[in-house]
Structure formats: structure tokens, C-alpha cells
Amino acid sequence: MFKLPPELQSELALVEKYLLEFINFGKEDKTLGEIVKCVIENSGKMIRPSLLLLSGRFGPGYPECRERLCKLGALLEMVHIASLVHDDIIDDSPLRRGKPTIQSRFGKDMAVFTGDFVLSRVLYHLMNEGLLDSGIIIGETISAMCRGEIEQFNSHFDPDATIEGYLSIIRNKTASVFIASCSMGARESGCDGNFSKGLTDLGNHIGHIFQIRDDLLDFQSSEQKEGKPVHVDFRGGIFTLPVLYALQHPEHGKKMRELIIDCEKRPVTDIDIAAMEKIAKQSGGIDFAKEQIVKHTDAAYSILKSLPDNEGLRVITAILKWISSS
Amino acid sequence: MFKLPPELQSELALVEKYLLEFINFGKEDKTLGEIVKCVIENSGKMIRPSLLLLSGRFGPGYPECRERLCKLGALLEMVHIASLVHDDIIDDSPLRRGKPTIQSRFGKDMAVFTGDFVLSRVLYHLMNEGLLDSGIIIGETISAMCRGEIEQFNSHFDPDATIEGYLSIIRNKTASVFIASCSMGARESGCDGNFSKGLTDLGNHIGHIFQIRDDLLDFQSSEQKEGKPVHVDFRGGIFTLPVLYALQHPEHGKKMRELIIDCEKRPVTDIDIAAMEKIAKQSGGIDFAKEQIVKHTDAAYSILKSLPDNEGLRVITAILKWISSS
């Protein structure tokens, strides 16, 4: 990965400090303490808080707004953590990033309430810090994430699933959080309308790249490499770009459709997976997904060109380079 | 049930109006719309918003604070609704109040995200309405509810479960919401410290009566009467006062303990239930639970005597009479 500038490192350390302080569960709750520790260990590279902090470099209110940005970064990461805990229930995932999920270690019941607990702490601290404007964005973001998950659930094993439907799902469930990161950074630092719009659009493109790339990894990686099983999506009836592109293909669409209709009726086998991979590849579905990443990357670079050169710009450019090429 | 005074009826109608407005899911989300409709239909007698509205009668800020109280009533009812949706996942309940639960109709996955969606709307509207003080109480209340559920889950089929542990669970998972109702009403209407404390304590007693009575119904009712199966608690390893009292009984404790240890190892049968009922009754556990209801009822009446006579007092008295005797 790229090297973070020292200042961002110290801000991310502050984000982590607030994260621990905000999730604080009280010493009496031993189980909750153990779960929350495990949740935080499982959490990721803090890419969402980083984008928030970096977007906050573009307004005249920086660096005065730094402390507020770090608190919001912690709260946004908590929203992300809560969503991971609840997602794992749905996916029935045994592992996340090579480590056991909350639901596999503590049971689905605990996962439901741990996620709710973390969300309740987000609500409490937004109120307690009086972060109304950003709180409204966070509220809308969580709603969008739920909408996206519900849309996704509704399209399980749907042979009529479309690329448009998929784009709505990933806009809601993934891009919304990246959009929130960038737009909160812009807003809290007092960016003008143009910069604000540019940063919000940038969040949207980065979010799309992030999800399409993640979906492609489900096609390409081995269990060892990514720390999670492969083709979980297709096995669970979730169809991503390579499959959806193949479905609408004049030549290969029929085969993919028949496979999906078969797979809905019985457990998906490795033979089904091999067949699906073959059709997706032959139809050009995997290339199509890669092209979408290029399209969003180009659009993101073009926005970056319109922004003033500062540390925020340089590090976001590095993040973009890393996300779009890895 | 008691007859609501016309003014409370019109306020509860306003609570319902805000409830529908706040949960608003957007016309595009057909499934979410269907689920939310089902959720609202399954919601109860609005006892928590009623207590909030009635507690709001005791401060000098009434009736100016009415609109705000109605909004908070809707938001508190939404917290209750979200918790019911998530609880049903854990309980694996097919029915609530005689109607199919969200998870039995739409699946556990949908139940997780519907609950989260409703919570996200609570967060959004608290921010949007700038209801910071009460928002802090709501945040703490949701955290307490999660703590209570986690404590309860941890004590499943625990032969060392105690009455103290049970009291902590019901304080967190149930009484906290009644406490929030009364203390938000007191705070928003500008009650002085004494009235505020009295009303908060009143909420605590009513919450305890409510839960202990509900637990006893699981002992007494038939499936037809309450719209839900009987002895769900014991079958699921949740031990309430009659069982916990028997467990610590010098004469009957050993039998109950052995039964519990047996039941943990295999599916609980009707013969187990009959044995548990017999021990609970013989030990005086059912009478003990009823005595606790009387104790909290007496304490609640004594608080009511210290409050000024107004519509709030009269209707809370009627609610208390109904809850404690039915």
C-alpha cells in the first residue's frame, strides 16, 4: 500500500482513540467487551475515515476542524463496523479478512445486538457532540445501506436481475459511505459549492471502484489470499457485473439464465461455479467489469485535476491509484 | 382497557402521523414499504409514547412542548418497533400478537435490515429536529436494551442464573424504555428536579411491572389468548422469576437445577415443561413473581401521590391499574 503522510497517520491515531472511547461498553459487560475488541480487530484499513480527513483539507476551516473530523471519522468507521457485523449474519460468513466473524464466534443473536449497540453509540455521540449537519448525512447513509442490502436480498437468484439493479444496490450499500466521507469532509471544512460537489462525486467514483473491484476479487482470489472463500456471491445468489453482463449477452445470456434457474433449486456445486466462470469469461463479462473500474478511475482523476494541489489531493490520488490497480 | 381522554387520543393520532412520516421509506422501495407496513401493524398499544405525553403534563413547558413530545413519542415507538423486529430474529418467533413476525414472513436477513433501517430513521430525525437532549437519552436507552439482550443471551440455560441477574436484564432491556418515556416527558416540559426524579422512578416501576407481568403470561396464557406460544422463555433457556425463585429454594432448588442441566443437552419436551411448572409452583415462585408486581405497583402509587393532580396523573393511574391487574 501507499505510504501515509505523517500528519494523516497522527490523525488516524486520533480516530482510533475516539473509536475506542466512543464504542466504550463499560467494564461490567465482559462479553460485549470481548466482542467489541474482536470487531475492532476485524475492522479494516480505515479508508473511509482517511477520505473524510483528506476531503477536510480543501476548505478554509482546516485545520481548525481537525478534531471534529477525527470524531466523525471514528463515528463513520463505527457505522462501517456495525454494517460488517450485520452483513456477516446475512452472508453466513465464517471468516472476514482471515479471522472468524462475530456471528461464527458468538452466534447470530450476539451479532445482531453488537451491531445495534455500535449503532446506538454512533447515535449517542453524534448527539453528545452536537454534530447535527454531519449526523443528518450519517442517518441518510445508514438508510441507504439498508436499502441497498434489501434490494440485494430481493434480487437473490433472480434470472431477471439487471446491471441497472446492481448499480443501484452498490450505490446504496457501498458508494453511499464513500460519498458521506467526502461530503462530510467538504462540509465540515467549509468548502464552497463547487469543491463540495467535486469531492462528493469523487466519493461516488471511489465507492464504485471499491465495490466492483471487491466483486471481481470474489472471481479471482484464492481463499488463502483474501482470507475468505471464493465465489461466495454466486453461491449465495448474488450476481455481480460479470454474471449480469453475461445474462444480457445475445449469445451467452440463455446459458447463464438456465444455469441460474437450475442453481436456485438446489445447492450450487463446484461444477456450476466452473460453468458460470466460463460463461462470464466467454461473454466478456469480466472485461466489462474491469472497464467499469477504468471508467470510474478516469472520472475520479478528472475531478482530482480540478482540485487545488495540497496534501489532500496527493494522498487521495495515491489511494485512488492503489484501489484501482490492486 | 381504560378509556383514553380525548386530548391524549388526538396527541396519539399525531404520534402515529409522525411515525408514518418518519419511517417513510420512499415509494421506490416496495419490499421495504410492505415490511414497514407490517411492522407498524404489529406494533402495540403505544404505551411508551402515552407515558411520554402524560409525563409532559407536569412541567411548566406544557402545552407548548406538545408537538415536540409527539415527535419524540413517534421516535421512541420506532426504537421499540426496531427492537421487536430484531428480538423476533433471536427468539425465532413465528408470531407476535397473533400475526406473523417480520422474520417469519420475509426472512431473518430482511428483519436485520428492516430494524437497522428504522433505527437509521430515528437517528436522522433526531438530528433533523435538533432534539439533542432527548436524543442523548434515546441513544443511552438503545445501548441499555442491547446490553440487556446480551446479558440475557449469556445466561441461556445457565443453572447458576440468579434473580439479581434477571433484574439487571429487565432493567436494561425493558424498564430503560419506560424510564426514557417518563424522563423525556419531564425534561421536555421543563419539570423541576423532584418531579423529574419521581417520574423517572415511576417509569422504572411501570417497566418492571410490565416485564414481570409479561413473563408471567408466558406461564399462564394459552396460545389463542395471547397470540403467541406458551413457555417460549423456558424452552429457549430464558429463566424468569418463577424459575429463578425455585432455583434458589432450599427444598426445590436441586430439582429445578437438575431439570435445567438436562434441558440444556436436548430439546425441551412437554414433560419438562410440566415438571418445571410444578416445581415453580411448589416452591412459591409464581407467587413470588406476583408479589414483585405488587411491590412495584405500591411504589408507583406512592410516587403518584406526590405528584399534582392533573390529567397526566389521572391517566397514568389508570394505566398503572390496568397493567398491574390484567
Side-chain angles (χ1 to χ4, degrees), chain A residues 25 29 31-32 86 90 109 113 116-117 120-121 124 126-127 135-136 140 143 146-147 150 153-154, chain B residues 25 29 31-32 86 90 109-110 113 116-117 120-121 124 126-127 136 140 143 146-147 150 153-154:
Chain A
F25 36 81
D29 294 306
T31 318
L32 192 53
H86 280 180
I90 276 57
D109 309 14
F113 292 119
D116 288 354
F117 179 78
S120 74
R121 295 287 83 195
Y124 174 84
L126 281 171
M127 296 288 164
I136 287 176
E140 289 287 40
S143 297
C146 296
R147 282 201 175 97
I150 290 173
F153 187 78
N154 269 336
Chain B
F25 36 82
D29 293 307
T31 317
L32 192 53
H86 280 181
I90 276 58
D109 310 13
M110 287 304 222
F113 292 119
D116 289 353
F117 179 79
S120 75
R121 295 288 82 195
Y124 174 84
L126 282 171
M127 296 288 164
I136 286 176
E140 290 288 40
S143 296
C146 295
R147 282 200 175 98
I150 289 173
F153 187 77
N154 269 338

Side-chain angles (χ1 to χ4, degrees), chain A residues 152-161 233-239 255-269 272:
Chain A
Q152 179 169 290
F153 187 78
N154 269 336
S155 64
H156 271 184
F157 285 112
D158 180 6
D160 297 320
D233 287 340
F234 191 85
R235 286 178 202 274
I238 295 172
F239 305 143
K255 272 184 290 174
M256 186 62 98
R257 190 182 171 84
E258 284 166 1
L259 179 66
I260 287 171
I261 292 170
D262 277 356
C263 285
E264 196 188 357
K265 296 178 200 146
R266 52 169 174 73
V268 178
T269 66
D272 296 326

Side-chain angles (χ1 to χ4, degrees), chain A residues 48-62 65-66 68-70 72-73 76 133-134 137 177-203 303 307-308 310 312 316:
Chain A
R48 293 157 190 81
S50 298
L51 282 175
L52 191 154
L53 295 167
L54 294 163
S55 301
R57 302 284 203 271
F58 292 92
Y62 186 82
C65 61
R66 266 186 64 184
R68 219 164 52 239
L69 291 176
C70 290
L72 281 169
L76 199 67
D133 284 347
S134 286
I137 296 178
V177 194
F178 289 85
I179 293 171
S181 301
C182 294
S183 67
M184 288 196 295
R187 183 183 286 250
E188 293 287 339
S189 66
C191 278
D192 72 16
N194 269 343
F195 279 5
S196 225
K197 181 170 181 334
L199 287 163
T200 304
D201 290 347
L202 188 63
I303 293 169
L307 294 172
N310 63 19
I316 294 179

